[in-house]
Amino acid sequence: MTNSSITSDIVKVGAGSSAAETRRKIIEKSLKKRHSREKRFRRLGLAAVTLGMLFVAVLFASVLYRGLPAFWQSAMPLNVYFDPAIIKIPAQPVKQANETPAAFESRSLAWQGQLAQVNWDSILLNSMINASPKVAPELKDANKYIALNQQMVDNPDAFSDEKLAANPALAAEVHAMEAADTKRTTLLSLFENGENVRLRDMVKKDPSLIGKTEKVTFWAAANVDVWLSGKIDRSLPDDQQQLSPEVRQMADQLKAEGVIQNKFNTPFFLNPDSRSSPATSGLAGAFVGTLYMMLIVLVFTIPVGVACAIYLEEFAPKNRWTDLIEVNINNLAAVPSIIFGLLGAAIFIGAFNLPRSAPLVGGLVLSLLTLPTVIIATRASLRAIPPSIRQAALGLGASKMQSVFHHVLPLAIPGILTGVIIGLAHALGETAPLLLIGMKAFVAAVPHSPMEPSTALPVQVYLWQGNELRNFFEARTAAAIIVLLALLISLNTLAIWLRKKFEVRW
Amino acid sequence: MNLLLIGILLILMAMAYTLGLKRSKSLAGKGSNSSLLHSRPGYYGSLVALWCGVPALLLLMLWSFFEPIVVRHVVLQTLPTDVVASLQGAQWDAFLERLKNIASGYGVADQPLDYEVKAAASLKSVLNIALLAKMAVVFAAATAGLVYALRKISPQLRARNSVEKFIKVVLALSSGVAILTTLGIVVSMFSEALHFFKFVNPLTFFFGTDWSPGFSESGQATGGYGLLPLLWGTLMISIIAMLIAVPVGLMAAIYMAEYAKPGFRNIAKPVLEILAGIPTIVYGVFAILVVGPLLHYLGSLIGLDINATSALTAGLVMGIMIIPFISSLSDDIIIQVPRALRDGSLGLGATKSETIKNVVLPAALPGIMGAFLLAVSRAIGETMIVVLAAGNSPLLHANPFAAVSTVTVTIVNQLTGDTDFASPQALVAFALGLTLFVITLGLNVVALIIVRKYREQYE
């Protein structure tokens, strides 16, 4: 009905028309304002939801943008000749029949000490020189200046400035020698610290390598990688650069020749953390630590949590003690995680004397954190099962416990699993309690048991975030976050898939 | 060794189970007619297994607990008195390791002393005797339990009831873990906090405005231990966080509950809940890498000096983290308001937004208040975002663009690896933790009371 027809109707009726008409006019006038207010409100709601989703997108985009480049790093795949002339060591000791284990240990250690004395740097250099003849042709002959060097050491007076000024040929030779030395140091600084130790470890594991040629991928030093990947401003003056001009120029030259390439960053996944060789630091130690902790959390929370939930839901009498337990569990679910860290520090480390920074202590603290979540999720899934199932079992003569364990619990397992996985995913990302039980320390080895000191993925992110080599470690931190988020997303997807697959609508 | 014993015990328990099973079945009569028995045969087997295994396991645990004390006592008897006086604590463990190496034939790098050789020999014999005695006692207990239970088997024995009673006790004990945890938290923090209050006056701690703890080895508290700057920093960051989270979260909840089409809601709700699942360390790194510099740049455009690590940075990112708490909880609560209320209001001519503002929100208000308080308690207890992004400046000021420090950051900073909690600068962490615990507990209790007391009971 149009407005005019309503008006004409009321005019026809003619009862109190002026008051009704004014009322209607007022309402009509405000209608436009009210409709626009409604539209604005609706748009505001949509904007809020969009803003929330935008935050998620920005977070993921910035992490991916900063982290993905760290998965490729500058490396040098070179052919390494294990020159027997350089590696002059006796054969590896073999255990004799009448030798005590301690004596054999000391003999092996002595052999390893001799192995450490070998000039691995020159093997590194030779492999680099062979790969790129244009770069340092004058270094090919390593023994060229040995005699001259010995003379300088034995008789320094013969090489004083006046004598050199008098004898230009000798001066030229000395300068050439010093230039070769500088070139050698420059070339070596392109390799990350510890790459020579890698060669030593290869020979220690397999002494038959001596005399053979192997292809080895060496990793460039962190600052070299920063320079080559453009993370530092190339126009900065020399005193603000991290590398000397010679090293920078050599790095560019080798990159142009193809000796230095971008390779997939496998040390990131296979190596433990390292402070002396940042380019080969990795997540392996943190990963294993987190794995141990997750195992301990599973082993502890599933039996205790499910048992507690079954008791509270099925068997507990309705009295004050049960109320107390329920209130306790709900409170524990809302306690900040750092308090659990304090509990771990005071009781597990202080009173029980468990080893500091061990995955055992971390796992126990995280289990206490996850326990309320598992209990609440299990109770919810037990409650969702209709009473008819329990009553049918009881009606057929089962006891209460038989009905619970044989009928109710198997039906509740999907819900329990979902709750456990969600709780586990939450515990995976916790950092604060682990910092308080000592995982702030730097751990350079992969732990072999849950009792050895270790670190965890989120703590590793925290430690790398504080590293002073900012332009190298910023990308690495973001890459570690990508790994952490990938793990979490896969756990959550597993939980959602389980829930969808086994969900039963009663 | 203990693991091996436990493994053998488990095998014994399995054997006991089979024995009990067979015995009960044979008592049942000819063939497999087990209707004469009170319980199913499996329960008789379980009863025998429990009688065999549980007393033996308990004995094993007790023995393992007391054995090191006895061994230490015996070995100390064989050592000369001056050596005994010099060995304490960790040195005893190292000495014991050395004796074990000598005794087992592994050998040590240097030449062992005479008394060490004698002590090693006596240690070896003591350990051997102890091991044999332990095995004997445990197996005797297991066998005794086995025989006793087997003899008790009869068709009238209420095996199932006994087994179920045992299981019920185990279930009840596991519920005790929750209480033990709370008790552990309260007791540990209270005792360490009381320790701390011996160094520092509680009034100075709770009402002082100077936080500058000194490093003291002597046991005297040096420096300022006033809590107020930390509390104020926590409050400032929480206020900023709620200023962001409440409008966005509430409006998002209203839109998703009232206006959104089901398809949109099915996408938007999980996406917003992703925000809740991201670890807080990721938020912290995001804050310090992206948000901090961005705010600094924006501030320089306007002419304000916004520090990259400031209360604003941390509060902003914390607000983003809290959005899903408020939006999810409010969404559930708004949906629970019955349609009749909405339809009535719409039928009287109100627009949808007027219905929401005047009818739905007031009806849902207690629940939303509860969600709000829970979110505040989460914001107060948050650690990693503030550790990374709020700077570390425990000064009492009202400038959100400067660095602040909070209670949680200070807890992390003070416990930097002090092994023994004897110095005031380590103990203060527990006093701070106690304060935090009490505050969050209070907020949660208030939230619970509000929701329970004012919630409308719909049919």
Side-chain angles (χ1 to χ4, degrees):
Chain A
M1 281 205 288
T2 62
N3 283 345
S4 48
S5 64
I6 301 176
T7 323
S8 47
D9 282 348
I10 294 186
V11 163
K12 273 191 218 131
V13 168
S17 59
S18 62
E21 220 176 286
T22 7
R23 211 167 33 237
R24 221 175 23 82
K25 282 217 177 73
I26 296 173
I27 292 180
E28 265 174 31
K29 240 193 291 196
S30 71
L31 208 56
K32 195 155 171 236
K33 220 194 309 181
R34 286 168 64 209
H35 279 314
S36 60
R37 219 185 293 155
E38 158 74 20
K39 237 185 273 178
R40 246 181 296 141
F41 191 75
R42 188 198 168 103
R43 282 209 198 107
L44 208 63
L46 184 61
V49 178
T50 325
L51 191 64
M53 299 206 289
L54 199 74
F55 284 141
V56 178
V58 165
L59 189 78
F60 276 93
S62 61
V63 164
L64 278 174
Y65 174 69
R66 278 160 206 268
L68 279 180
F71 285 109
W72 285 269
Q73 213 173 288
S74 308
M76 296 165 282
L78 301 171
N79 284 322
V80 178
Y81 174 54
F82 290 92
D83 195 347
I86 303 180
I87 314 177
K88 293 202 195 77
I89 48 163
Q92 197 175 17
V94 178
K95 187 168 189 314
Q96 310 289 330
N98 54 349
E99 201 177 18
T100 70
F104 175 61
E105 260 312 288
S106 56
R107 273 208 309 145
S108 306
L109 285 173
W111 179 75
Q112 285 174 27
Q114 283 186 302
L115 201 60
Q117 304 272 17
V118 170
N119 188 1
W120 299 105
D121 279 348
S122 59
I123 298 187
L124 274 183
L125 262 180
N126 289 341
S127 50
M128 171 78 93
I129 293 169
N130 288 335
S132 167
K134 280 191 283 176
V135 151
E138 69 271 24
L139 293 178
K140 260 212 160 301
D141 182 8
N143 303 325
K144 193 170 177 190
Y145 297 112
I146 286 190
L148 184 60
N149 198 19
Q150 196 61 39
Q151 286 173 17
M152 281 188 79
V153 165
D154 291 336
N155 195 1
D157 297 328
F159 293 89
S160 63
D161 289 333
E162 306 91 42
K163 294 264 175 57
L164 286 178
N167 188 348
L170 189 63
E173 249 196 271
V174 170
H175 282 155
M177 183 179 82
E178 284 170 354
D181 245 349
T182 321
K183 202 79 177 270
R184 197 169 284 129
T185 324
T186 311
L187 267 183
L188 275 177
S189 67
L190 287 174
F191 290 92
E192 178 62 288
N193 278 333
E195 294 296 78
N196 47 3
V197 177
R198 257 177 80 192
L199 289 176
R200 180 187 82 194
D201 288 338
M202 282 170 79
V203 172
K204 183 163 84 175
K205 220 191 310 190
D206 181 16
S208 70
L209 273 177
I210 305 179
K212 299 207 194 110
T213 308
E214 282 273 316
K215 188 161 174 133
V216 181
T217 304
F218 294 105
W219 296 95
N223 287 333
V224 172
D225 180 61
V226 163
W227 170 257
L228 287 175
S229 56
K231 288 200 195 106
I232 194 169
D233 188 358
R234 287 198 166 209
S235 62
L236 285 175
D238 279 350
D239 56 354
Q240 287 183 11
Q241 290 282 359
Q242 291 165 319
L243 300 167
S244 67
E246 299 85 32
V247 178
R248 278 183 267 145
Q249 190 233 0
M250 183 149 302
D252 284 334
Q253 195 177 345
L254 285 172
K255 183 86 191 265
E257 282 181 27
V259 177
I260 300 185
Q261 306 161 9
N262 254 357
K263 289 231 161 243
F264 187 70
N265 196 351
T266 40
F268 183 70
F269 295 103
L270 298 176
N271 288 6
D273 194 14
S274 160
R275 282 196 74 77
S276 60
S277 38
T280 49
S281 61
L283 285 177
F287 216 82
V288 171
T290 300
L291 204 70
Y292 279 137
M293 281 194 265
M294 291 303 121
L295 279 173
I296 294 178
V297 167
L298 281 176
V299 162
F300 188 74
T301 38
I302 296 185
V304 176
V306 172
C308 180
I310 291 179
Y311 178 73
L312 286 174
E313 194 64 27
E314 308 278 343
F315 295 106
K318 297 273 176 249
N319 59 15
R320 271 222 313 238
W321 290 113
T322 315
D323 267 343
L324 187 68
I325 298 181
E326 286 187 15
V327 164
N328 249 322
I329 292 176
N330 285 329
N331 275 335
L332 279 180
V335 163
S337 58
I338 197 169
I339 307 271
F340 287 99
L342 283 173
L343 172 72
I347 292 198
F348 293 136
I349 297 187
F352 290 174
N353 265 320
L354 293 175
R356 290 200 125 232
S357 181
L360 182 66
V361 182
L364 284 174
V365 168
L366 289 179
S367 323
L368 290 177
L369 229 153
T370 326
L371 202 60
T373 314
V374 171
I375 294 177
I376 293 175
T378 312
R379 283 193 76 178
S381 53
L382 284 173
R383 229 176 278 157
I385 295 176
S388 56
I389 300 219
R390 297 183 180 87
Q391 283 160 9
L394 290 173
L396 286 174
S399 69
K400 185 95 203 280
M401 193 152 302
Q402 282 170 332
S403 72
V404 167
F405 278 98
H406 295 178
H407 299 280
V408 176
L409 191 59
L411 291 172
I413 283 185
I416 297 176
L417 267 180
T418 315
V420 166
I421 292 178
I422 291 185
L424 203 67
H426 187 171
L428 197 79
E430 283 295 339
T431 326
L434 298 178
L435 286 180
L436 288 186
I437 59 161
M439 287 201 171
K440 217 186 220 181
F442 165 67
V443 174
V446 176
H448 291 290
S449 83
M451 305 289 277
E452 288 180 14
S454 92
T455 182
L457 266 178
V459 178
Q460 186 69 287
V461 171
Y462 173 71
L463 289 174
W464 275 354
Q465 201 281 321
N467 196 303
E468 54 293 346
L469 270 183
R470 290 265 21 96
N471 48 14
F472 184 72
F473 270 103
E474 215 171 82
R476 227 172 178 79
T477 314
I481 290 181
I482 293 179
V483 171
L484 182 64
L485 285 177
L487 200 60
L488 278 170
I489 289 177
S490 48
L491 272 178
N492 276 318
T493 319
L494 181 68
I496 295 177
W497 177 79
L498 272 175
R499 183 161 57 187
K500 281 239 161 67
K501 181 152 187 228
F502 292 109
E503 192 169 42
V504 185
R505 289 234 167 264
W506 297 105
Chain B
M1 196 60 233
N2 272 347
L3 281 177
L4 191 64
L5 271 177
I6 292 179
I8 298 180
L9 261 182
L10 285 175
I11 298 178
L12 268 179
M13 281 170 77
M15 277 169 48
Y17 178 82
T18 3
L19 278 175
L21 191 70
K22 278 211 201 100
R23 179 77 187 265
S24 63
K25 277 201 183 146
S26 71
L27 280 180
K30 294 293 173 249
S32 57
N33 176 20
S34 44
S35 58
L36 291 174
L37 293 172
H38 170 267
S39 327
R40 286 169 62 207
Y43 284 101
Y44 291 98
S46 308
L47 189 64
V48 177
L50 284 175
W51 269 110
C52 170
V54 172
L57 269 171
L58 285 175
L59 270 175
L60 183 63
M61 286 203 311
L62 274 175
W63 190 287
S64 307
F65 189 69
F66 284 112
E67 185 179 300
I69 304 175
V70 174
V71 165
R72 182 193 160 108
H73 187 75
V74 169
V75 172
L76 279 180
Q77 303 279 35
T78 64
L79 293 173
T81 38
D82 53 336
V83 179
V84 171
S86 69
L87 283 178
Q88 35 196 325
Q91 291 175 328
W92 164 253
D93 294 322
F95 186 67
L96 200 62
E97 269 306 304
R98 190 182 157 82
L99 287 182
K100 279 194 189 145
N101 278 342
I102 300 175
S104 67
Y106 187 79
V108 282
D110 53 349
Q111 195 60 13
L113 303 164
D114 277 336
Y115 70 83
E116 283 178 353
V117 177
K118 265 197 295 196
S122 77
L123 175 71
K124 194 166 173 183
S125 62
V126 161
L127 282 179
N128 282 339
I129 294 175
L131 182 65
L132 287 171
K134 180 161 72 177
M135 281 167 53
V137 165
V138 164
F139 287 138
T143 329
L146 178 71
V147 167
Y148 171 69
L150 266 182
R151 289 205 6 209
K152 271 208 319 189
I153 290 185
S154 75
Q156 293 85 29
L157 177 67
R158 282 162 152 61
R160 192 199 63 206
N161 296 30
S162 314
V163 172
E164 288 186 352
K165 218 179 287 184
F166 178 78
I167 296 181
K168 206 159 154 186
V169 164
V170 168
L171 290 180
L173 281 178
S174 44
S175 323
V177 173
I179 295 209
L180 267 181
T181 314
T182 315
L183 217 68
I185 292 179
V186 170
V187 161
S188 66
M189 286 208 296
F190 247 120
S191 70
E192 307 281 3
L194 279 175
H195 251 140
F196 171 72
F197 285 133
K198 284 196 208 119
F199 294 107
V200 173
N201 187 355
L203 286 175
T204 335
F205 179 68
F206 284 113
F207 298 109
T209 57
D210 172 36
W211 182 267
S212 49
F215 183 80
S216 82
E217 298 233 14
S218 62
Q220 284 293 97
T222 55
Y225 282 95
L227 177 63
L228 280 186
L230 307 174
L231 269 183
W232 174 240
T234 313
L235 207 64
M236 199 159 47
I237 294 185
S238 306
I239 291 177
I240 299 177
M242 296 321 276
L243 278 176
I244 294 172
V246 168
V248 177
L250 201 55
M251 285 309 298
I254 291 173
Y255 185 82
M256 284 198 294
E258 301 279 339
Y259 290 105
K261 300 194 205 41
F264 184 79
R265 191 191 144 88
N266 277 341
I267 298 179
K269 199 155 181 248
V271 168
L272 281 183
E273 283 183 10
I274 289 180
L275 281 177
I278 297 179
T280 51
I281 180 84
V282 176
Y283 278 115
V285 173
F286 175 65
I288 205 175
L289 283 187
V290 176
V291 178
L294 182 70
L295 282 178
H296 183 73
Y297 172 69
L298 287 176
S300 64
L301 284 182
I302 313 178
L304 285 168
D305 178 26
I306 303 184
N307 212 346
T309 57
S310 62
L312 188 62
T313 319
L316 191 62
V317 175
M318 206 189 286
I320 299 178
M321 182 190 81
I322 294 184
I323 289 175
F325 281 89
I326 298 201
S327 83
S328 281
L329 290 171
S330 310
D331 186 50
D332 292 336
I333 292 164
I334 290 175
I335 286 188
Q336 279 172 10
V337 175
R339 282 200 64 186
L341 288 176
R342 290 194 188 94
D343 290 347
S345 165
L346 290 171
L348 285 174
T351 60
K352 201 155 185 185
S353 62
E354 286 163 1
T355 312
I356 295 174
K357 274 187 268 191
N358 297 329
V359 175
V360 177
L361 276 185
L365 200 61
I368 294 181
M369 277 305 297
F372 174 78
L373 285 174
L374 279 174
V376 170
S377 119
R378 182 93 170 83
I380 288 183
E382 181 44 53
T383 318
M384 288 325 290
I385 300 181
V386 261
V387 162
L388 288 177
N392 194 5
S393 155
L395 295 171
L396 199 56
H397 61 74
N399 180 10
F401 303 131
V404 292
S405 189
T406 68
V407 176
T408 46
V409 171
T410 320
I411 294 178
V412 172
N413 283 338
Q414 294 298 120
L415 274 186
T416 49
D418 241 355
T419 331
D420 58 340
F421 304 124
S423 50
Q425 65 263 17
L427 286 173
V428 72
F430 290 96
L432 288 170
L434 189 64
T435 321
L436 192 67
F437 183 63
V438 166
I439 294 178
T440 45
L441 197 68
L443 278 173
N444 291 332
V445 165
V446 167
L448 203 64
I449 292 179
I450 288 184
V451 169
R452 272 214 193 130
K453 186 164 173 200
Y454 293 107
R455 182 171 53 191
E456 308 276 342
Q457 290 298 352
Y458 303 115
E459 70 275 75

